[in-house]
């Protein structure tokens, strides 16, 4: 492969970056310098200093471009000077696109010592984009073995790190077979696999390549990088890859070691406060970036540097040409849903998978296409990013907490859009929760917890429940409420998933559905039991806090309707440690909420009993008789408290209110039997006082015993008018009233 010199056909600058392009770019292309920018440069000492640096970089690039013979670093002051110039400017500002062709060619041509080549490669920090032609030109040097193995390895690490900065990938994809041939080098193999993983398309999967990977695996053993490539091949062509691969998603590749990522982050941080005119543009649109980190930049789809079509007519013409030629449709031109529908067959995702998260059209695409390779690429990128940027898992990352919060928020919104969780997020949560302090990014982490996919209870217990339990019992009341809300959302997401998949199943798949249903029932039941357990203990720790009780009962509002609303044969009553504190609560909202929950339990249990009696259900799942028994105990206690004033005599629950009269008399409460009916109940007494003030304004004794007979019915109507709808539906469904006729007349 013949060397391609930088004096070949000039490359076009980024059209969208014209106003922000460095003067060096204009000089090297023989173009004119922007007059407005030139005036500004002469007006400011800082801009004059920038001109000086650009002059020095221009001279350094010119020197390296003309190097012909092998030069020693120690004996050549000129080389040392230009090398230092490139290093300092690269670390301060990043290199413009035009510098990569020269520096890559000289570093891989073998003209300089490995020490110089290593320093040059480590200086290749992009300020905007990296031209694909420069990368292809540098790859050609690998064919002639001019550079050492260490330089080849360093080049691959650099290419993997800056892969998202390469403006185009078509020519790189054409070199897929060339990169594949380097797999036989054991030292390069992990990094070649990583690069191939980023480049692989369906057409790249060939039987001979699968055989080669299997041979390498037999020779080297079960290596994670080989598994990664085989897994990707199997997703594209499952009929060709017949071996069984580990099903659990894992981190296949180690982060390539090198200074580039840290340098890119440092440059972005330094340029955060610069004006849009003098700031080098970092891979995106012409808008000034407000984020420093690489993953935040990736949330914007980059515009190709070779795109010369500026007008809408040119863009539309290009779209038509691409459609007629059956080529890929540029993602940066995707603006409307109709465009997505017209080009869905030829749309290719950007290399920067992070841009998918903030683009509703691309999220629609992956939701419709269900291409496993896209999910795999997205999961790989997201897993690496979460692992690297986690502020409590990685040292010295605390300064980026706000940005990490924004990123987690973006991931959560994408999960809500897709209505399913990412497996890479699940893996991240399982690894990071044991190290989490419960404070950093609390809202974002707990929101991500609500989208954890269904898995076995043993896995959930060790990776989710146990870490949350330790934090739950040792944290504040507000953290406890946040955890309960997150677990309620998790339960709802699981139940919604079940409903969606149940609708998609046909009658011929009843057996497989029952098998899936059995596992779902177990996992959902364990989650409900877990919440019941921690809630019972939390109420004791927080002295039956009304706020905490609200979140607990809110969870059970979902649980009580599982049978009818989500078509799942499962109903679990709340523990006595939750039911009785709610029944005896001094807050009317909690009592009203409990009444509504018990009403919905009754409705679901009646429907379940009717279905069992009619035998119309094909599924062989029935509610436990213990559920009916526990409900009957609770309903007896509630009616005894609120209506018949007999809870102390008729409550049969082992942890209930049953007490003998001798013990009750020792309390010195005169009317202990009526202490918890709807008139004397601590949560209802305020309503009784206001009712008497309206019914008997002249009576200031507040004689509650007057509320009986017709006045009892009026009092009920008064309570219903105050918004106690839960109490209303409970009484109407669970209390057999003797005076129904007189009540309706009243």
């Amino acid at each position: 492969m013949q060397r391609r010199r930088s004096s070949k056909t000039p490359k076009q600058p980024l059209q969208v970056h014209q106003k922000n392009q460095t003067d060096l770019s204009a000089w090297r292309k023989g173009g004119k310098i922007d007059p407005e920018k030139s005036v500004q440069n002469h007006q400011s000492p800082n801009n004059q200093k920038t001109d000086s640096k650009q002059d020095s970089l221009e001279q350094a690039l010119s020197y390296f471009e003309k190097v012909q013979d092998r030069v020693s670093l120690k004996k050549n002051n000129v080389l040392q000077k230009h090398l230092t110039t490139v290093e300092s400017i690269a670390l301060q500002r990043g290199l413009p696109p035009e510098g990569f062709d020269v520096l890559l060619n000289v570093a891989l041509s073998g003209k300089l010592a490995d020490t110089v080549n290593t320093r040059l490669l480590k200086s290749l920090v992009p300020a905007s984009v990296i031209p694909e032609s420069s990368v292809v030109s540098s790859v050609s040097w690998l064919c002639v073995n001019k550079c050492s193995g260490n330089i080849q390895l360093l080049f691959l690490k650099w290419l993997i790190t800056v892969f998202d900065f390469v403006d185009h990938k078509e020519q790189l994809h054409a070199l897929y077979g060339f990169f594949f041939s380097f797999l036989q080098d054991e030292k390069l193999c992990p990094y070649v696999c990583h690069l191939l993983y980023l480049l692989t398309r369906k057409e790249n999967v060939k039987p001979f390549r699968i055989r080669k990977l299997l041979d390498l695996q037999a020779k080297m053993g079960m290596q994670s990088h080989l598994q990664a490539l085989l897994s990707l091949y199997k997703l594209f062509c499952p009929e060709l890859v017949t071996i069984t691969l580990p099903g659990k998603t894992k981190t296949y590749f180690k982060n390539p070691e090198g200074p580039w990522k840290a340098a890119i982050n440092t440059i972005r941080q330094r340029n955060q406060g610069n004006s849009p005119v003098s700031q080098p543009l970092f891979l995106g649109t012409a808008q000034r970036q407000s984020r420093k980190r690489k993953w935040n930049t990736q949330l914007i789809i980059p515009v190709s540097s070779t795109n010369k079509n500026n007008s809408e007519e040119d863009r539309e013409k290009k779209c038509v040409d691409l459609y007629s030629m059956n080529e890929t449709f540029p993602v940066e031109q995707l603006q409307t849903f109709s465009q997505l529908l017209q080009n869905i067959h030829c749309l290719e995702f950007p290399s920067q998978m992070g841009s998918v998260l903030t683009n509703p059209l691309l999220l629609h695409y992956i939701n419709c296409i269900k291409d496993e390779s896209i999910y795999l690429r997205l999961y790989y990128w997201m897993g690496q990013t979460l692992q690297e940027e986690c502020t409590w898992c990685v040292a010295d990352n605390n300064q980026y907490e706000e940005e990490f919060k924004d990123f987690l928020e973006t991931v959560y919104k994408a999960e809500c859009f897709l209505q399913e969780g990412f497996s890479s997020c699940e893996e991240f949560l399982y690894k990071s929760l044991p190290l989490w302090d419960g404070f950093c990014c609390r809202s974002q982490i707990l929101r991500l917890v609500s989208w954890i996919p269904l898995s076995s209870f043993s896995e959930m217990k060790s990776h989710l429940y146990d870490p949350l339990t330790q934090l739950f019992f040792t944290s504040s009341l507000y953290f406890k409420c946040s955890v309960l809300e997150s677990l309620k959302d998790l339960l709802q997401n699981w139940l919604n998933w079940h409903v969606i998949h149940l609708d998609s199943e046909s009658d011929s798949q009843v057996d497989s559905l029952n098998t899936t249903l059995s596992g779902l029932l177990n996992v959902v039941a364990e989650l409900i039991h877990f919440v019941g357990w921690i809630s019972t203990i939390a109420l004791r720790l927080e002295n039956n806090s009304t706020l905490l009780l609200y979140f607990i009962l809110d969870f059970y509002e979902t649980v009580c309707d599982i049978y009818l609303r989500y078509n799942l044969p499962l109903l679990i009553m709340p523990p006595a440690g939750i039911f009785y504190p709610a029944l005896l609560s001094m807050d009317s909202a909690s009592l009203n909420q409990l009444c509504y929950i018990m009403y919905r339990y009754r409705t679901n249990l009646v429907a379940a009993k009717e279905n069992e009696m009619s035998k119309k259900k094909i599924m062989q799942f029935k509610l436990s008789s213990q559920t009916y028994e526990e409900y009957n105990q609770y309903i007896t206690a509630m009616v005894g408290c609120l209506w018949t004033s007999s809870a102390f005599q008729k409550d049969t629950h082992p942890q209930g209110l049953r007490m003998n009269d001798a013990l009750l008399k020792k309390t010195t409460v005169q009317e202990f039997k009526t202490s918890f009916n709807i008139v004397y109940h601590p949560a209802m007494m305020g309503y009784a006082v206001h009712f008497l003030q309206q019914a008997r304004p002249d009576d200031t004794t507040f004689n509650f015993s007057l509320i009986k007979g017709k006045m009892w019915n009026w009092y009920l109507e008064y309570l219903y008018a105050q918004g106690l709808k839960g109490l209303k539906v409970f009484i109407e469904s669970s209390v057999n009233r003797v005076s129904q006729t007189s009540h309706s007349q009243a």
Side-chain angles (χ1 to χ4, degrees):
M1 190 179 296
Q2 190 175 359
R3 180 182 177 188
R4 302 167 64 181
R5 297 182 58 83
S6 61
S7 58
K8 53 184 177 264
T9 304
K11 310 177 189 69
Q12 294 295 327
L14 279 166
Q15 297 296 325
V16 72
H17 296 168
Q18 284 178 352
K19 292 184 179 181
N20 290 345
Q21 188 70 40
T22 60
D23 289 352
L24 175 61
S25 303
W27 293 339
R28 289 193 56 75
K29 297 180 183 304
K32 295 181 179 180
I33 301 173
D34 188 350
E36 182 179 348
K37 181 186 291 185
S38 180
V39 172
Q40 292 177 350
N41 287 343
H42 286 292
Q43 290 175 346
S44 169
N46 290 334
N47 287 336
Q48 291 178 1
K49 184 178 180 180
T50 300
D51 284 344
S52 176
K53 289 183 178 180
Q54 290 173 342
D55 290 338
S56 300
L57 181 59
E58 172 72 12
Q59 295 172 8
L61 293 177
S62 178
Y63 170 82
F64 284 116
E65 187 176 16
K66 296 176 182 178
V67 169
Q68 297 295 334
D69 301 324
R70 191 176 183 88
V71 181
S72 172
L73 179 62
K74 294 182 180 180
K75 300 180 180 180
N76 195 316
N77 294 330
V78 178
L79 175 59
Q80 292 181 3
K81 172 188 173 184
H82 292 312
L83 182 59
T84 302
T85 298
V86 171
E87 289 177 325
S88 62
I89 293 179
L91 294 178
Q92 290 177 8
R93 303 185 53 190
L95 297 177
E98 299 75 24
F100 289 92
D101 192 50
V102 175
L103 297 179
L104 280 171
N105 278 328
V106 72
L108 297 175
S109 63
K111 294 180 180 180
L112 302 174
D114 275 6
T115 304
V116 180
N117 295 333
T118 299
R119 291 174 62 179
L120 285 176
L121 286 175
K122 289 183 177 181
S123 301
L124 297 180
V125 180
S128 56
V129 295
I130 300 173
E132 182 188 29
S133 57
S134 300
V135 179
V136 173
S137 176
S138 60
V139 169
S140 66
W141 285 103
L142 303 181
C143 302
V144 294
N145 292 325
K146 290 289 186 178
C147 56
S148 65
N150 290 333
I151 297 299
Q152 293 179 1
L153 182 62
L154 188 62
F155 170 72
L156 288 176
K157 290 181 179 180
W158 171 81
L159 185 55
I160 292 169
T161 304
V162 301
F163 185 81
D164 290 334
F165 290 85
V166 180
D167 56 1
H168 278 160
K169 305 292 190 302
E170 289 305 316
Q171 295 180 37
L172 279 179
H173 281 294
L175 295 174
Y176 190 92
F178 172 76
F179 289 120
F180 193 89
S181 64
F182 279 86
L183 286 176
Q184 59 190 358
D185 190 317
E186 292 189 14
K187 190 176 181 180
L188 300 180
C189 184
Y191 301 97
V192 174
C193 283
H194 195 161
L195 182 59
L196 292 174
Y197 189 94
L198 298 174
L199 289 171
T200 299
R201 296 174 176 172
K202 187 172 183 178
E203 59 266 23
N204 299 128
V205 181
K206 305 293 182 183
F208 75 90
R209 287 178 178 148
I210 296 173
R211 288 195 297 270
K212 179 64 176 177
L213 290 175
L214 294 176
D215 291 341
L216 288 172
Q217 185 169 267
K219 177 182 177 183
M220 301 180 182
M222 192 69 75
Q223 301 294 326
S224 60
H225 49 274
L226 295 175
Q227 290 180 28
L229 209 50
L230 283 170
S231 298
L232 189 57
Y233 282 9
K234 190 168 186 176
L235 284 174
F236 281 122
C237 301
E239 71 281 0
L240 296 180
V241 184
T242 57
I243 65 169
T244 302
L245 295 169
K248 181 64 179 176
T249 305
K250 59 182 292 186
T251 303
Y252 289 120
F253 305 108
K254 296 180 180 179
N255 295 328
E257 299 174 357
W260 305 286
K261 182 180 177 181
I264 291 171
N265 293 335
T266 302
I267 293 171
R268 287 206 174 96
Q269 186 174 4
R270 183 181 297 122
N271 285 277
Q272 181 73 11
N274 289 0
S275 66
V277 173
S278 61
Q279 175 184 343
L281 200 61
F282 287 149
L283 194 59
T285 62
Q287 299 173 352
R288 178 172 175 236
Q289 297 292 330
S290 61
R291 301 294 173 207
K292 304 183 286 292
R293 309 288 274 180
K294 180 180 177 181
W295 46 260
N296 271 312
T297 306
Q298 288 178 323
L299 301 182
I300 299 175
I301 301 176
V303 182
S304 302
S305 63
T306 56
N307 183 13
K308 303 178 184 179
N309 299 318
N310 292 322
S311 66
E312 289 297 329
E313 295 180 358
D314 290 339
R315 261 197 291 271
E316 292 177 3
K317 181 178 179 181
K318 186 174 182 180
C319 294
V320 174
D321 292 342
L322 284 172
Y323 185 85
S324 61
M325 296 167 60
N326 197 28
E327 295 182 0
T328 57
F329 182 82
V331 175
E332 67 269 12
Q333 296 181 8
L334 187 64
Q335 301 295 331
T336 63
F337 192 75
S338 59
Q339 282 183 319
L340 174 64
L341 295 178
Q342 293 171 3
N343 300 281
I344 198 168
H345 65 290
C346 57
L347 187 68
E348 183 174 0
F349 261 41
S351 296
Q352 296 178 352
M353 292 303 294
S355 60
V356 176
L357 298 179
T358 54
N359 191 308
L361 295 176
L362 296 183
L363 290 175
H364 272 303
Y365 176 79
I366 65 176
N367 209 18
C368 296
I369 296 300
K370 298 297 182 184
D371 187 343
E372 291 294 336
S373 64
I374 293 176
Y375 278 101
L376 201 61
R377 287 179 57 197
L378 183 61
Y379 292 163
Y380 163 73
W381 170 82
M382 190 180 299
Q384 292 288 105
T385 304
L386 289 169
Q387 180 182 352
E388 294 172 7
E389 307 298 339
C390 180
T391 53
W392 61 89
C393 293
V394 181
D396 301 328
N397 262 9
N398 293 332
Q399 57 183 320
Y400 302 115
E401 180 178 342
E402 290 301 320
E403 296 181 17
F404 190 54
K405 281 183 181 180
D406 293 338
F407 178 64
L408 294 179
E409 193 72 28
T410 301
V411 173
Y412 168 73
K413 290 178 180 178
E415 288 182 329
C416 291
F417 187 94
L418 297 173
Q419 287 296 292
E420 62 178 311
F422 297 123
S423 62
S424 51
C425 274
E426 176 190 11
E427 185 178 355
F428 162 72
L429 290 171
Y430 286 168
K431 288 182 178 179
S432 61
L433 281 179
L435 306 174
W436 186 43
D437 60 2
F439 180 78
C440 181
C441 306
R442 174 190 296 176
S443 175
Q444 292 74 23
I445 291 296
L446 292 179
R447 286 181 179 181
L448 292 179
V449 166
S450 67
W451 281 109
I452 291 179
L454 277 165
S455 57
S456 65
F457 170 70
S458 59
E459 187 174 5
M460 297 285 292
K461 182 180 185 304
S462 59
H463 292 108
L464 177 64
Y465 297 157
D466 289 348
L468 276 184
T469 299
Q470 296 178 11
L471 289 170
F472 186 83
F473 291 143
T474 57
S475 297
S476 67
L477 169 65
Y478 302 103
F479 179 82
K480 292 181 176 70
C481 296
S482 300
V483 170
L484 290 171
E485 184 179 27
S486 175
L487 294 177
K488 183 203 73 171
D489 293 339
L490 176 63
L491 175 63
Q492 286 183 332
N493 289 331
W494 285 356
L495 296 173
N496 289 331
W497 175 90
H498 164 69
V499 171
I500 294 172
H501 285 72
L502 186 64
D503 292 340
S504 64
E505 296 286 349
S506 63
D507 294 337
S508 61
Q509 295 175 307
V510 172
D511 292 337
S512 61
L513 175 61
N514 284 344
T515 303
T516 305
L517 188 60
S518 177
L520 175 64
L521 286 173
N522 291 334
V523 176
V524 171
E526 292 296 343
L527 173 60
I528 296 172
H529 287 310
F530 171 73
V531 173
W533 173 65
I534 62 174
S535 299
T536 301
I537 299 176
L539 282 174
R540 297 175 186 172
L541 294 174
E542 301 295 342
N543 297 321
N544 294 328
S545 164
T546 301
L547 178 63
L548 181 63
L549 187 59
Y550 167 79
F551 282 93
I552 295 172
L553 294 178
D554 192 41
F555 177 84
Y556 279 95
E557 276 196 32
T558 300
V559 175
C560 69
D561 243 349
I562 286 179
Y563 185 85
L564 287 178
R565 182 173 295 179
Y566 300 100
N567 200 18
L568 193 66
L570 178 70
L571 279 177
I572 298 176
M573 302 300 298
I578 295 174
F579 172 79
Y580 285 102
L583 177 60
L584 305 179
S585 172
M586 299 184 67
D587 178 63
S588 59
S590 298
L591 181 61
N592 182 67
Q593 199 173 6
L594 178 65
C595 289
Y596 176 78
I597 290 172
M598 295 305 294
Y599 160 72
R600 291 308 303 171
Y601 268 120
R602 181 185 187 279
T603 305
N604 281 257
L605 288 169
V606 169
K609 180 62 71 175
E610 290 176 351
N611 287 332
E612 290 176 11
M613 298 298 292
S614 63
K615 298 182 179 179
K616 292 181 179 180
K617 288 291 181 181
I618 300 177
M619 295 181 293
Q620 302 301 313
F621 293 96
K622 296 182 179 180
L623 297 182
S624 170
S625 59
Q626 182 182 355
T627 303
Y628 292 100
E629 180 183 354
E630 197 168 10
Y631 170 80
N632 289 332
Q633 291 175 337
Y634 284 164
I635 208 68
T636 301
M638 284 192 70
V639 173
C641 271
L642 302 176
W643 196 261
T644 64
S645 301
S646 59
F648 297 119
Q649 291 77 32
K650 295 185 178 181
D651 192 349
T652 59
H653 195 280
Q655 303 177 41
L657 303 175
R658 187 181 184 90
M659 287 183 282
N660 57 51
D661 290 346
L663 180 61
L664 289 169
K665 289 178 181 179
K666 291 181 180 180
T667 63
T668 67
V669 176
Q670 294 180 356
E671 300 293 336
F672 57 81
K673 290 185 178 181
T674 60
S675 297
F676 293 102
N677 67 17
I678 58 174
V679 176
Y680 291 93
H681 195 291
M684 309 299 295
M685 194 173 291
Y687 291 105
V689 171
H690 286 290
F691 172 74
L692 287 176
Q693 287 177 338
Q694 296 181 22
R696 293 179 176 270
D698 299 331
D699 188 357
T700 59
T701 61
F702 298 115
N703 187 1
F704 293 151
S705 62
L706 296 175
I707 303 178
K708 59 184 178 180
K710 288 186 177 181
M711 189 173 289
W712 180 276
N713 295 330
W714 297 341
Y715 177 58
L716 281 179
E717 295 296 336
Y718 171 78
L719 293 178
Y720 299 160
Q722 301 305 307
L724 299 177
K725 303 301 182 183
L727 179 67
K728 180 177 186 293
V729 295
F730 171 76
I731 291 177
E732 291 178 351
S733 63
S734 300
V735 175
N736 292 322
R737 301 189 57 191
V738 177
S739 56
Q740 288 292 338
T741 303
S742 61
H743 170 68
S744 61
Q745 291 176 353

